[in-house]
Amino acid sequence: MSTLKDGRMAPHESPAAGRRSVGVDVPKSDGEKLVRGRPVFTDDVLPSGCLFAKVLRSPHAHARIVALDASRALADPEVVAVLWHPDVPQIPHTRAGQSHPEPSPWDTTILPTKARFVGDRVAVVAAETLAAAERALELIDVEYEVLPAIHDPAAALDADAPMIHEVPDPRGIAKGGESNLAAMIDVQIGDVDTALAACDHVIERTYVLPRVQASHIEPHVSVSWIDEDDRLVVRTSTQVPFHLRRILARILETSESRIRVIKPRVGGGFGDKQEMVCEDLVAVLTLRTGRPVRLEFTREEELIAARFRHPQTITMTTGVMNDGTLVANRMVVLADTGAYGSHALTVQANTGQKVLPLYPLKHIHYHVDSVYTNNPISGAFRGYGAPQGFFALESQMDEVAAVIGMDPLELRRKNHIRLGDVDPVSARLNEGKEGLARTVNSSSLEECIRRGAEAIGWGATPAPTHPRFKRGLGVGVAMQGSGIAGVDWAAATVKLNEDGSVNLLVGATDIGQGSDTVLSQICAEELGVPYEKIIILSSDTDLTPFDVGAYASSTTYVSGGAVAKAAADLKNQLLTIMAEHWQVNLEDVRFVDGVCMGPRDLSLDMGGVAHTALYTAKVQPAATASHMSDDSPPPFSAQFADVEVDTETGQVFVRRFVSACDFGTVIHPKLAEGQVDGAVAQGLGYALCEEVLVDDEGRVRNPNFLDYKIFTAMDMPLMEVIMLETEEPSGPYGVKAAGEVVINGPAPAVVNAIAAATGVRIRHIPATPERVWRAMHEC
Amino acid sequence: MKLTLSLNGHSTELVAAPGARLLDVLRDAGCTSVKRGCETGDCGACCVLLDGEPVNSCVVPAAFAADAIVTTLEGLNDDPLMRRLQDCFLEAGAVQCGYCTPGLLLVAWQRLREGGELTEYDVRHAMSGNLCRCTGYAKPVRAVLDAWEAMP
């Protein structure tokens, strides 16, 4: 790939000339131990004498926990402890797992005095065996004062609605916590009302998005113990080890120095493991009993008491001229944050900030009410508000195109954001407050649309495979960010060993996406040493420097920046050492392909350099660097679905799916493709079958993988991934991000394809057979 | 309850609590490749071979394994066909978080051992009881086909 510093698309020729690690499909750094099934996950190794914890959960959606009698449970000699709210510190906090200062409201305590949803924590048990802990749950007598509950977000702000949070310190709750409004955003750019009045057409539509769950196959699981220095150790399946340490220190009334958080391999996270759902409970049990404690969610608990993508109702109002010029967009969102305000503000901020800039109009109005209900808790899930927003925006674009009689791709081409454009929203809205201006400095979006359309055969829909099927093509375009501008930062440490190998210590959190591999590649490339020489250790708060963790598509862009800087620093140290050793001028020493070259025929490989440093100069070459970016360059995608609809049953079959992507430079092509494959699978589930159903009393009706249906190998369409690399000036080696952008397109692409096939518009997903059939039969 | 079985080629005596599931006794016996994902037989992370057939060990009572032949990934790590599959998984980029990988490898190994023609549909069918949330199945399916194509 040629290096185009102006951010235009470069021809896809990974790796770029002269690169040996970046752009190469090197072996995944943790691959071998994973395919061998070695004990590398949290639950695979338990300390001896470990107790097993279980959570007693509320059967009521809203109830005061008045009294609790655990005497029958404790009569069992295998039951060691039962804790409820009087037994633990009642320090308000949020379990959202975010950076300091935390944008989510501090509306939570470790064990609450009032249950706010069916499944809320009431008590926690530790026993010698899991069976004994499970038995104990049946033997705890709780007196509840049942309160009226709200399950309909539209009713949460009614004057007579019961208050879900009456907290003494309503820090972070909208309007001082006077209502069930957890968070509110209202941002206007230009003057939407006046602009709409002058448009040829004004199109208003409402879209309804379901509650869905991340469904990482490894459940939430944490183990804690007291080490030989009386410090609390928490080994846990988390995306945010350093935030966890900070939050635990505060709510346990201790200091960070007394806590060590270790992240082993993590069996998928997708945002759901940003949340602290087990760690505080094992910690209080270990502190109480002095014993190691392990808590793992069951799948049923995952689908009741973990976190969910926020259900939203979105009304889009778009003003357009007859020639397809978009003039104004208004997006009004009602979001259900559930029983606690975890990510109540920031997910909804993202729905506007990440989505609306795709069409950088002069007139944009974004309004959100994010409300408390007595429903399961919403939170972070891959895409972080953008999948909801892009479903609405990209459905709306097809509806607008239909009204003005324009090809939907043509409408997008005419209006989408381009290289050099200023995103009008980011300066006004970032993490729920004023942000930093963003200019698009790299983009192959036009090419993504062209190549994607070509691959799917836009304009030439294939024939249906059965007489009762109808077939159609649809598109969904999207953008995202690369980390949170001005907020996310990371550090990395490199240290050289005698044989020229390098320890790379990062706080960045590999949760399966492969960040250990990608960061090792960046380190190897920068130092000019073979990838195999990098020994990576990630995420142990005692051993690695700080990193905010794995979220917001930040790791390659932000943590990668820290690794590149640390490696460059190390290289400079080595040049100085060798210049002194050879007694030559510093400017005459350089590295070429990992070999240190001096004047005349002086040269030494990295092992020799290391030996010289350690045993002649007697210094440890090592460097720590930090990296933060004021930018969050957008990756782009254009995704296309080819679907067939069974007109008799309403069932939708996705036959082919094309994703054309601009992630900036691709460090590891196969891992990057894997991000697309997985995001498409999750996005198609969002489009067609995933929905956590909550009944009128707040109970989840389908808390298992039989009834909460995610895509299997049999459901997947034929997939094509097209990488159209660009060189992002602000990213190390020109990277942007890959983790989230591609989860946004599948749902609108599928629903637009259903509309193309049948003429029926599905505005409430998932597009289940029943919904599609009813829409076709208007009943 | 004491349980005698052949575990990964070795005659083994395990202790199982009343009502224990095969998943739990295998993990307690150190077979950590057997993963707990759903406990309702829906995800395939706990897949093992019971008398040669893939089963979800979370819904098999431990007592069912009495006098049976149980094989987990640990028992096949030295098998040449399994090694080829593992290499193909690594080569194809079929491993992301790796939590569902042992289950996928076992059902794929079993399917390849059955022999006969193998289409992409066959691979997807064989894997249909194993949920993976990371890969969209594209690369795992490719990896199994690669391993099949490389078979003598």
Side-chain angles (χ1 to χ4, degrees):
Chain A
M1 190 182 70
S2 63
T3 301
L4 298 179
K5 281 295 176 196
D6 63 358
R8 277 178 299 143
M9 195 199 66
H12 180 57
E13 285 174 33
S14 278
R19 285 183 188 163
R20 294 194 300 182
S21 292
V22 163
V24 180
D25 284 324
V26 299
K28 193 166 186 278
S29 67
D30 54 356
E32 179 67 12
K33 61 193 168 202
L34 292 171
V35 296
R36 306 294 273 182
R38 289 184 187 140
V40 295
F41 294 94
T42 297
D43 192 57
D44 291 345
V45 186
L46 296 182
S48 63
C50 191
L51 299 173
F52 293 82
K54 286 294 288 182
V55 180
L56 179 68
R57 300 190 177 279
S58 172
H60 305 292
H62 199 193
R64 266 178 231 296
I65 303 160
V66 178
L68 183 142
D69 180 358
S71 54
R72 290 196 299 141
L74 289 165
D76 182 341
E78 286 197 317
V79 176
V80 178
V82 178
L83 306 182
W84 67 307
H85 64 77
D87 301 318
V88 297
Q90 289 290 313
I91 296 171
H93 62 278
T94 174
R95 292 183 213 139
Q98 295 166 291
S99 256
H100 169 80
E102 292 168 323
S104 293
W106 286 4
D107 57 10
T108 308
T109 57
I110 297 172
L111 290 165
T113 56
K114 187 170 89 162
R116 295 179 174 90
F117 73 104
V118 176
D120 206 350
R121 298 169 169 187
V122 174
V124 63
V125 175
E128 300 288 348
T129 64
L130 188 59
E134 284 167 353
R135 280 198 309 273
L137 297 185
E138 307 290 319
L139 299 172
I140 298 170
D141 301 300
V142 184
E143 185 189 326
Y144 295 99
E145 178 196 343
V146 178
L147 303 167
I150 312 163
H151 300 295
D152 176 7
L157 300 179
D158 289 353
D160 60 346
M163 281 293 286
I164 295 169
H165 288 272
E166 307 110 333
V167 289
D169 175 13
R171 189 180 313 216
I173 303 179
K175 298 181 179 172
E178 66 181 27
S179 72
N180 289 319
L181 187 63
M184 196 272 283
I185 296 168
D186 193 275
V187 171
Q188 175 136 219
I189 295 150
D191 180 349
V192 169
D193 281 332
T194 308
L196 287 174
C199 287
D200 292 336
H201 304 274
V202 174
I203 294 124
E204 182 174 306
R205 301 284 189 271
T206 296
Y207 305 93
V208 181
L209 287 305
R211 176 179 284 105
V212 294
Q213 217 276 328
S215 301
H216 34 78
I217 308 298
E218 182 203 34
H220 285 91
V221 55
S222 305
V223 184
S224 64
W225 64 91
I226 305 280
D227 76 4
E228 55 276 21
D229 295 312
D230 296 322
R231 295 170 75 226
L232 177 70
V233 184
V234 183
R235 189 169 185 265
T236 183
S237 183
T238 182
Q239 297 176 219
V240 289
F242 285 87
H243 293 340
L244 257 181
R245 182 180 66 169
R246 187 193 76 241
I247 295 164
L248 286 173
R250 192 173 70 80
I251 66 176
L252 299 173
E253 300 178 294
T254 180
S255 68
E256 279 85 347
S257 69
R258 307 303 302 157
I259 299 174
R260 175 181 184 183
V261 176
I262 301 169
K263 177 217 71 86
R265 303 330 293 169
V266 172
F270 314 117
D272 200 25
K273 287 178 181 169
Q274 188 178 353
E275 304 270 345
M276 177 177 72
V277 302
C278 292
E279 292 89 348
D280 55 333
L281 293 177
V282 292
V284 291
L285 284 167
T286 285
L287 293 174
R288 173 60 67 101
T289 63
R291 304 262 308 264
V293 177
R294 170 268 205 195
L295 173 61
E296 182 182 69
F297 270 27
T298 62
R299 185 57 50 185
E300 186 179 17
E301 285 176 298
E302 291 290 341
L303 283 157
I304 291 172
R307 298 296 179 267
F308 303 85
R309 181 175 291 152
H310 287 74
Q312 293 183 353
T313 300
I314 303 180
T315 299
M316 290 287 313
T317 310
T318 302
V320 63
M321 305 310 283
N322 284 327
D323 70 350
T325 304
L326 295 172
V327 176
N329 256 331
R330 170 173 284 141
M331 183 184 258
V332 177
V333 179
L334 176 65
D336 181 1
T337 194
Y340 295 91
S342 181
H343 303 268
L345 173 69
T346 41
V347 160
Q348 276 56 239
N350 236 32
T351 301
Q353 189 212 336
K354 294 287 192 288
V355 174
L356 290 167
L358 183 60
Y359 305 104
L361 313 182
K362 288 199 177 70
H363 307 281
I364 289 175
H365 179 205
Y366 182 58
H367 181 92
V368 173
D369 290 325
S370 180
V371 299
Y372 287 119
T373 62
N374 296 109
N375 291 331
I377 309 166
S378 300
F381 178 12
R382 195 178 199 170
Y384 203 73
Q388 297 96 311
F390 276 114
F391 178 74
L393 182 71
E394 286 298 279
S395 295
Q396 179 83 352
M397 285 304 110
D398 269 39
E399 302 216 33
V400 167
V403 167
I404 62 171
M406 195 172 192
D407 177 81
L409 267 192
E410 198 46 46
L411 177 71
R412 288 172 172 83
R413 282 200 191 100
K414 195 173 167 66
N415 293 285
H416 71 69
I417 194 165
R418 285 176 161 71
L419 188 64
D421 282 355
V422 175
D423 148 15
V425 183
S426 287
R428 297 287 307 282
L429 181 60
N430 182 35
E431 292 281 277
K433 50 188 194 224
E434 294 275 308
L436 297 158
R438 178 166 78 161
T439 302
V440 177
N441 293 319
S442 59
S443 172
S444 62
L445 178 55
E446 284 170 86
E447 191 66 4
C448 288
I449 292 173
R450 189 179 74 74
R451 291 280 302 277
E454 215 171 83
I456 203 80
W458 191 259
T461 307
T465 57
H466 190 280
R468 72 167 201 252
F469 289 174
K470 289 185 172 178
R471 195 154 186 169
L473 306 180
V475 62
V477 175
M479 61 194 283
Q480 192 93 16
S482 307
I484 307 169
V487 174
D488 286 343
W489 73 280
T493 297
V494 288
K495 177 170 78 69
L496 186 68
N497 302 313
E498 285 97 321
D499 60 350
S501 65
V502 176
N503 292 109
L504 171 60
L505 313 176
V506 293
T509 311
D510 193 323
I511 55 172
Q513 82 282 46
S515 62
D516 281 1
T517 304
V518 165
L519 297 177
S520 298
Q521 287 175 273
I522 291 174
C523 187
E525 190 68 51
E526 193 68 31
L527 286 170
V529 301
Y531 164 79
E532 292 72 23
K533 288 282 190 186
I534 309 298
I535 307 157
I536 187 156
L537 175 74
S538 61
S539 310
D540 176 329
T541 58
D542 269 12
L543 303 177
T544 69
F546 181 90
D547 191 293
V548 291
Y551 56 80
S553 297
S554 63
T555 303
T556 306
Y557 179 75
V558 178
S559 311
V563 171
K565 278 186 190 171
D569 184 348
L570 181 72
K571 207 158 71 172
N572 284 332
Q573 291 178 27
L574 298 176
L575 291 175
T576 305
I577 289 166
M578 290 313 298
E580 281 178 20
H581 178 66
W582 283 331
Q583 302 206 320
V584 299
N585 291 329
L586 180 59
E587 52 269 28
D588 292 334
V589 186
R590 65 197 192 285
F591 274 101
V592 178
D593 288 342
V595 177
C596 192
M597 316 281 281
R600 302 178 301 277
D601 57 350
L602 288 170
S603 79
L604 205 51
D605 67 10
M606 191 58 89
V609 171
H611 228 269
T612 305
L614 288 166
Y615 296 111
T616 306
K618 297 191 176 7
V619 293
Q620 168 65 67
T624 295
S626 304
H627 185 68
M628 199 272 293
S629 177
D630 282 337
D631 202 351
S632 177
F636 294 98
S637 60
Q639 293 172 289
F640 295 81
D642 170 5
V643 310
E644 290 199 84
V645 182
D646 184 332
T647 55
E648 249 173 54
T649 64
Q651 181 150 15
V652 176
F653 301 92
V654 184
R655 300 301 185 197
R656 294 181 300 142
F657 198 90
V658 174
S659 301
C661 316
D662 167 14
F663 298 158
T665 299
V666 172
I667 303 282
H668 190 295
K670 281 195 174 133
L671 282 174
E673 277 173 25
Q675 286 298 301
V676 184
D677 296 340
V680 169
Q682 294 177 2
L684 292 176
Y686 194 47
L688 292 173
C689 55
E690 291 185 38
E691 184 168 28
V692 175
L693 300 166
V694 178
D695 72 13
D696 292 344
E697 289 173 348
R699 286 181 300 242
V700 174
R701 285 164 50 202
N702 54 342
N704 59 70
F705 275 149
L706 194 61
D707 300 311
Y708 181 78
K709 156 86 179 153
I710 67 174
F711 262 46
T712 70
M714 293 290 276
D715 302 314
M716 289 301 292
L718 197 64
M719 307 259 279
E720 187 175 349
V721 179
I722 303 167
M723 292 287 177
L724 297 164
E725 294 186 54
T726 56
E727 182 91 7
E728 163 56 38
S730 67
Y733 294 99
V735 305
K736 293 195 277 189
E740 294 180 289
V741 63
V742 271
I743 201 168
N744 298 316
V750 164
V751 164
N752 289 337
I754 294 170
T758 63
V760 162
R761 172 61 52 183
I762 303 295
R763 299 192 184 94
H764 183 170
I765 54 168
T768 58
E770 182 178 340
R771 284 200 182 112
V772 174
W773 190 90
R774 283 181 184 281
M776 285 193 296
H777 294 79
E778 292 174 20
C779 65
Chain B
M1 175 181 92
K2 279 189 180 160
L3 198 65
T4 307
L5 71 161
S6 163
L7 176 58
N8 294 330
H10 301 285
S11 177
T12 307
E13 194 169 89
L14 299 176
V15 178
R21 300 161 303 181
L22 184 56
L23 163 67
D24 299 320
V25 299
L26 290 174
R27 282 188 66 80
D28 287 347
C31 298
T32 51
S33 74
V34 189
K35 300 300 184 198
R36 200 183 292 100
C38 72
E39 302 177 80
T40 49
D42 296 318
C43 81
C46 64
C47 179
V48 302
L49 301 178
L50 180 63
D51 290 331
E53 288 299 316
V55 296
N56 287 327
S57 62
C58 70
V59 288
V60 175
F64 277 32
D67 303 320
I69 299 168
V70 174
T71 308
T72 71
L73 180 61
E74 284 86 352
L76 293 173
N77 271 332
D78 293 330
D79 175 83
L81 175 59
M82 180 57 83
R83 182 69 252 185
R84 183 182 311 127
L85 261 171
Q86 289 167 332
D87 287 340
C88 288
F89 265 61
L90 293 174
E91 187 65 26
V95 180
Q96 284 191 37
C97 84
Y99 199 78
C100 73
T101 305
L104 286 175
L105 286 169
L106 273 179
V107 295
W109 184 85
Q110 166 67 15
R111 180 61 191 81
L112 292 185
R113 290 260 297 189
E114 275 174 17
E117 279 301 300
L118 191 75
T119 63
E120 180 177 333
Y121 179 88
D122 297 331
V123 177
R124 289 183 181 275
H125 192 262
M127 283 183 178
S128 62
N130 295 70
L131 296 179
C132 169
R133 195 60 157 169
C134 296
T135 66
Y137 311 97
K139 295 191 188 326
V141 169
R142 183 68 256 159
V144 178
L145 290 169
D146 289 346
W148 183 74
E149 282 159 15
M151 276 176 84

